[in-house]
Amino acid sequence: MDESVVTDFRQNGYALSPRLLGDPLLARLRAEADRLVRRFTDGGHRSDDYWYFERAVSRDLVLYRIHKLQRQGSAAINDLFADGLLHALARDVLGVPAKSTVCAMIVKMPRVAARVPWHRDRTSVPPHTVCNLSLFLDDSTTANGCLEFVPRSHLSPAEVDGDEVLQRGPVRAVPAQAGDVLIHDVRVVHGSRTNETESFRRSIVVEFAPVGLDLADSEG
Ligand code: NI
């Protein structure tokens, strides 16, 4: 692996690992993602794991997250969560053997997706200890709500407010291509904007923690 990924992760709190996934696996994951999203949009499926909101005027239902993704009956996603490329990458950036803890699909539906407000996933762990890996199934751009970060904010103390960090800035938008993996420290301040395009922007997010470290449940 390119050492600059580890350096970026430690210095800035995030790093991009380009083209981690080959086309055959990416195609399988995209097909599974299509099927899981269509359960909601076409099949009327509702469960505690399908998170959505209702638009104010049109009353359209907007899916934004499929939680506990490793329990939705997708073999390709289950394999990814169990062991493989993402585990190896997490081990490299954290510097210790890593286990996957939670997995979700982030869905930005065309035109109607909401922004994700600025937040930190966790502040209960030290910097460089726990990370989230976002595997992009679609190209992620400034037009469809790519992730944005405040570099080095993972080093800010837990009690420092996200807004305070933001005002100091800077803010960096990080576009990615389908098959890329974006790694971020759970402490880094991040968010994303709306999807202004006609296409879905989907990513699979898996949290990794050192083997042996117990964490309370997270939203990632
Ligand atoms: Ni987050």
Side-chain angles (χ1 to χ4, degrees):
M1 192 198 51
D2 186 345
E3 269 307 307
S4 70
V5 173
V6 180
T7 310
D8 284 354
F9 171 72
R10 294 188 69 87
Q11 284 185 350
N12 294 326
Y14 63 89
L16 188 68
S17 182
R19 295 173 296 281
L20 191 75
L21 257 69
D23 287 340
L25 179 54
L26 187 59
R28 276 182 72 203
L29 291 169
R30 289 174 60 106
E32 281 302 302
D34 282 343
R35 183 179 67 80
L36 293 178
V37 169
R38 275 202 305 269
R39 283 172 83 192
F40 179 91
T41 55
D42 302 358
H45 175 79
R46 303 289 180 266
S47 81
D48 288 348
D49 294 335
Y50 276 65
W51 297 9
Y52 63 91
F53 65 89
E54 185 179 289
R55 294 187 80 201
V57 177
S58 68
R59 309 197 71 181
D60 291 336
L61 302 183
V62 181
L63 177 68
Y64 63 93
R65 181 185 180 99
I66 304 177
H67 199 53
K68 295 180 180 164
L69 191 62
Q70 75 278 18
R71 297 186 197 168
Q72 307 300 327
S74 157
I77 290 166
N78 294 358
D79 287 352
L80 195 73
F81 185 74
D83 201 6
L85 289 167
L86 297 185
H87 293 67
L89 179 60
R91 184 189 61 222
D92 285 345
V93 296
L94 297 179
V96 293
K99 64 180 177 187
S100 52
T101 56
V102 287
C103 181
M105 192 191 311
I106 306 300
V107 180
K108 282 195 183 278
M109 287 179 63
R111 294 281 172 202
V112 293
R115 64 183 279 268
V116 174
W118 293 97
H119 67 283
R120 307 172 86 174
D121 296 332
R122 294 178 189 275
T123 51
S124 58
V125 292
H128 319 131
T129 307
V130 179
C131 62
N132 266 307
L133 269 51
S134 301
L135 162 59
F136 289 95
L137 302 178
D138 306 297
D139 291 348
S140 174
T141 67
T142 51
N144 70 10
C146 66
L147 278 169
E148 300 184 22
F149 297 95
V150 179
R152 304 181 61 80
S153 56
H154 62 309
L155 303 174
S156 296
E159 62 276 13
V160 171
D161 188 63
D163 287 340
E164 207 181 309
V165 172
L166 260 180
Q167 274 166 14
R168 247 182 288 147
V171 168
R172 295 274 181 265
V174 184
Q177 293 188 334
D180 292 356
V181 174
L182 182 52
I183 307 137
H184 73 264
D185 193 304
V186 290
R187 296 174 57 94
V188 79
V189 175
H190 60 285
S192 63
R193 301 186 195 207
T194 54
N195 181 355
E196 304 298 329
T197 74
E198 301 297 335
S199 307
F200 277 87
R201 185 283 235 180
R202 300 161 302 177
S203 59
I204 294 174
V205 180
V206 185
E207 185 190 61
F208 285 90
V211 171
L213 179 71
D214 266 339
L215 290 169
D217 249 11
S218 148
E219 296 197 355

